[in-house]
Amino acid sequence: MTEDHTATAPLLEVTGLRIATTGAASGPATVLDGIALTVAAGECVAVVGESGSGKSLAVRAVAGLLPEGVAVTGGTVRLAGQDVGQLPRAERHALRGRRISLLMQDPFTMLHPQLTCGQQIADGLRADLPALAAARGRRARRAALRAETVRRLAEVGLAPDVADRYPHELSGGMRQRVATAAALAGDPELLVADEPTTALDAANQRAVLELLRGLLDRRGMGLLLITHDLSVAFATCDRVYVLYAGTVLEEGPAADLRRAPRHPYTAALLAAEPSAHVRHERLPTVPGSVPPPGRRTGGCPFADRCPHAAPECRTTAVTLRVPPPLPGRPDSGGRLSACVRLAGIGADLTPPSPVPAATGTVPAVDEDEDEGEDAVPALRIRGVRRTFRDGGDPAVRDVDLTVPAGRITALVGESGSGKTTLARIAAGLETFDEGRVDVGPVPLTAGRLPTRAERARLAPQVQIVFQDPFSSLPPLRTVGATLAEALTAAGRITGDSAAARRARRTELVGQLLDQVGLERSYADRRPAALSGGERQRVALARVFAVRPRLLICDEAVAALDVSVQAQLLNLLADMQRAEGFAVLFITHDLGVVRQIADEAAVMVRGELVERGTVSEVLDDPRHPWTRRMLDAVPGLDPSVSPS
């Protein structure tokens, strides 16, 4: 007789889940090693950890969407007490979209480029919705579908006209909100959201998370949130699982983990989180990286990176247990930690706070001041305007912006504010309709892209690093070949003979990899063999090969784990001080702005609405949108519990 689990079972119950790669010549390699987690109806649960920890594969296993070459080798996944793995394939497929829905990090993976946003939401609506079921006739049904689609768009803060637009016509943040509406169209019992707010500014991020939280309360739906942003997890979720190298190292109520982490890995991630309120000399980092599948040994997988590691950490099997209490810090219950040294570490678990930077401020740049021939700014933009559609609102509206030589200027704004358009104009990748743009001594001409000769003059003046390095690195070329091409274009590979030029190329490629903290052996790898942080380091190395006067970073750390982000921000600050180049840093993360920039400019709907030193803009904001953005930053204040 089959046991009935439905009466007491949580909405989602994962027990002993093991996942391994298959088909490799070296044999199977464990990716997830017996993880367990639960999500109750109406509960928001977060899974946090660095890239390579197995977060996304865990949720794909829950949704039955594991990629080819990866398979479940043990454990069970139950939805409302029903073992999903025992269902026929057709029934498992029927669960998706109706009982369980998946919201991905990149909305382009969810949205069809040739269908309007309204069509994609309408396709997921349940036919038994009262408004649709009551419609009689084709015209009435079309009207009902339209009304329901508009209502779903309004739920995620989008106007009705978005229903008639295609994904490529929207900003990244708007696409993510459309994807959210599409994922919720079937009214699922469980929503699995994999990094759903990575591309959003603080205000839109907060709006989306509040929307999801409100849906939980109204529908009793469960939410499993996968994120590398601890502030999002702690500000939004009820409970948190900390995953590392396929193993859960800590779990418990979000407020307790935030106030007093009980594993060194959790503490290290918290320490690396950039603050929007205090600037530090250097951000704390977690040395090393997550070991890939097949290279994980017995004992705690974090031992090789842990400052508290002892010999027993490398031999004792990982087992979650109730941690010993901390004096004066009572837990609310439900805490589990895999650290075998907690009793000995005690209050020393949390790393020391990073050292605040000097309180002196950098003077702001006078936009109207004549800086003279010896101080030509790295970028000067005057009255620039760009409109993409006839009769549409300008994407960039009469913008004036100066990036001084040798300084870091942050350009911050919500998704769709025009930041990336302005960055592409400055890099010569996008035309502008009116105004003047000077990149160092090189003027750009309105109404057309630079000619080949102008690009040759522009290359040593400006280079750009994008958010996704995988799409900007040639996938079939090795890292060494990519860097060598950049060195050749910059005229840096010289020599009297082919042998001398080869030796020079090898040495310069090695020096570039040294600069960005990668071993020289990485020259023989291809982008697919690198982590996201490693690929972004290669993208920076390619830029440094040219030695530009201005570096544009367009959301260059937005998609990275907090620990990798800290490493790259420290690296960029070191390189900028050593080389003296200017930086235009495009971001929606005010914590990153505080840590990296000298000046900040705020962009809203294509206009610059505020600018000044970082301390002026973030400590004494004058524009309502800047204040709104600061108010929306998810805090790590222990006195604030998740809603």
Side-chain angles (χ1 to χ4, degrees):
M1 182 175 179
T2 304
E3 183 181 357
D4 183 8
H5 291 269
T6 58
T8 59
L11 179 60
L12 175 69
E13 183 178 17
V14 177
T15 306
L17 181 64
R18 286 181 167 80
I19 296 177
T21 58
T22 59
S26 57
T30 300
V31 179
L32 288 183
D33 191 11
I35 70 166
L37 60 87
T38 61
V39 180
E43 184 182 33
C44 179
V45 173
V47 178
V48 303
E50 295 172 279
S51 294
S53 293
K55 307 185 303 295
S56 293
L57 283 179
V59 300
R60 285 178 175 274
V62 168
L65 292 172
L66 284 175
E68 186 177 352
V70 181
V72 174
T73 58
T76 59
V77 175
R78 293 182 180 273
L79 185 63
Q82 187 175 39
D83 189 341
V84 175
Q86 298 301 313
L87 294 176
R89 183 176 180 178
E91 292 185 34
R92 288 202 306 272
H93 185 271
L95 292 176
R96 294 195 291 271
R98 291 294 180 260
R99 298 191 62 191
I100 181 170
S101 188
L102 184 62
L103 177 62
M104 304 295 291
Q105 174 179 343
D106 181 2
F108 266 132
T109 63
M110 296 187 62
L111 299 177
H112 196 295
Q114 295 180 319
L115 297 178
T116 65
C117 297
Q119 285 177 282
Q120 300 187 62
I121 295 171
D123 286 346
L125 294 173
R126 301 175 67 100
D128 59 357
L129 286 173
L132 301 183
R136 294 290 181 267
R138 183 177 299 178
R139 181 177 297 179
R141 181 170 177 79
R142 279 202 305 265
L145 276 173
R146 175 73 180 193
E148 185 64 18
T149 298
V150 167
R151 187 182 75 80
R152 300 299 179 117
L153 285 170
E155 276 190 324
V156 295
L158 294 175
D161 69 292
V162 173
D164 301 317
R165 297 167 70 180
Y166 291 89
H168 71 270
E169 297 180 298
L170 307 179
S171 70
M174 294 174 72
R175 283 195 296 267
Q176 188 59 282
R177 282 183 278 171
V178 170
T180 301
L184 296 174
D187 300 322
E189 299 170 42
L190 175 68
L191 177 64
V192 181
D194 189 359
E195 302 279 8
T197 61
T198 294
L200 302 182
D201 60 89
N204 282 322
Q205 180 186 80
R206 181 174 181 175
V208 169
L209 293 173
E210 287 179 348
L211 164 69
L212 293 175
R213 189 79 218 193
L215 289 168
L216 298 190
D217 297 337
R218 291 195 301 272
R219 303 184 183 186
M221 179 180 72
L223 174 61
L224 181 59
L225 177 66
I226 310 303
T227 181
H228 64 256
D229 190 332
L230 273 72
S231 60
V232 166
F234 292 148
T236 307
C237 297
D238 304 297
R239 292 188 299 115
V240 175
Y241 290 82
V242 181
L243 192 64
Y244 182 82
T247 305
V248 176
L249 297 184
E250 183 172 5
E251 65 176 86
D256 291 342
L257 266 73
R258 176 172 50 184
R259 182 181 67 251
R262 304 310 314 277
H263 195 283
Y265 179 58
T266 313
L269 291 180
L270 280 167
E273 188 82 21
S275 170
H277 306 291
V278 180
R279 182 164 180 155
H280 300 119
E281 288 288 353
R282 289 185 75 75
L283 285 169
T285 61
V286 186
S289 58
V290 180
R295 298 184 187 176
R296 300 168 184 175
T297 58
C300 178
F302 187 60
D304 289 340
R305 304 173 69 191
C306 181
H308 304 285
E312 62 264 30
C313 298
R314 293 178 169 84
T315 58
T316 305
V318 174
T319 303
L320 287 167
R321 55 179 67 84
V322 177
L326 286 175
R329 296 184 183 180
D331 288 339
S332 56
R335 293 292 295 273
L336 294 173
S337 172
C339 182
V340 298
R341 299 203 61 235
L342 273 181
I345 298 171
D348 294 331
L349 177 66
T350 305
S353 299
V355 178
T359 56
T361 59
V362 179
V365 175
D366 186 344
E367 296 281 355
D368 300 318
E369 182 181 349
D370 184 1
E371 301 185 42
E373 292 183 1
D374 295 333
V376 177
L379 175 67
R380 186 182 287 253
I381 295 173
R382 290 289 178 270
V384 165
R385 190 177 185 89
R386 178 67 169 113
T387 302
F388 287 101
R389 294 191 299 173
D390 291 340
D393 293 331
V396 176
R397 189 195 310 264
D398 303 325
V399 168
D400 292 346
L401 178 67
T402 295
V403 178
R407 300 265 280 276
I408 301 178
T409 299
L411 182 60
V412 62
E414 63 184 337
S415 301
S417 63
K419 305 187 304 295
T420 292
T421 299
L422 193 64
R424 289 176 60 83
I425 289 172
L429 300 175
E430 182 62 69
T431 60
F432 57 102
D433 304 320
E434 302 174 17
R436 180 179 176 88
V437 177
D438 294 287
V439 186
V442 180
L444 302 182
T445 304
R448 65 170 176 82
L449 292 173
T451 64
R452 179 175 295 185
E454 288 169 339
R455 286 195 180 283
R457 294 182 59 209
L458 196 62
Q461 297 296 327
V462 60
Q463 292 288 312
I464 188 167
V465 176
F466 297 100
Q467 176 176 342
D468 179 13
F470 192 75
S471 62
S472 61
L473 295 176
L476 299 181
R477 288 186 182 175
T478 64
V479 168
T482 295
L483 298 182
E485 181 184 44
L487 289 164
T488 301
R492 295 182 59 190
I493 297 180
T494 58
D496 297 331
S497 65
R501 289 191 292 273
R502 281 195 300 271
R504 173 72 170 164
R505 180 173 59 243
T506 300
E507 179 56 27
L508 287 178
V509 167
Q511 289 177 8
L512 288 171
L513 292 172
D514 291 341
Q515 279 184 307
V516 298
L518 294 175
E519 296 179 5
R520 295 195 174 195
S521 61
Y522 276 69
D524 298 324
R525 300 188 188 185
R526 288 183 170 81
L530 308 180
S531 68
E534 289 169 344
R535 285 195 289 266
Q536 200 62 289
R537 286 173 184 261
V538 172
L540 284 171
R542 182 171 60 177
V543 164
F544 296 152
V546 183
R547 292 178 171 170
R549 196 159 173 260
L550 171 66
L551 171 61
I552 299 176
C553 294
D554 187 7
E555 298 284 9
V557 298
L560 301 178
D561 310 315
V562 64
S563 56
V564 178
Q565 175 181 269
Q567 292 172 6
L568 282 175
L569 290 176
N570 288 340
L571 168 66
L572 183 60
D574 292 343
M575 292 298 301
Q576 192 272 336
R577 283 191 291 266
E579 301 287 338
F581 54 82
V583 180
L584 178 61
F585 201 97
I586 315 294
T587 184
H588 61 256
D589 190 327
L590 298 186
V592 170
V593 172
R594 175 74 75 175
Q595 302 308 316
I596 196 71
D598 301 312
E599 293 97 21
V602 180
M603 202 165 182
V604 179
R605 297 187 181 92
E607 295 185 78
L608 279 186
V609 298
E610 186 162 4
R611 62 186 176 221
T613 66
V614 168
S615 58
E616 288 170 347
V617 172
L618 298 189
D619 296 336
D620 187 23
R622 303 300 176 87
H623 193 273
W625 194 89
T626 313
R627 291 194 292 271
R628 172 175 170 258
M629 188 168 55
L630 282 162
D631 291 341
V633 173
L636 292 180
D637 181 356
S639 66
V640 181
S641 60
S643 57

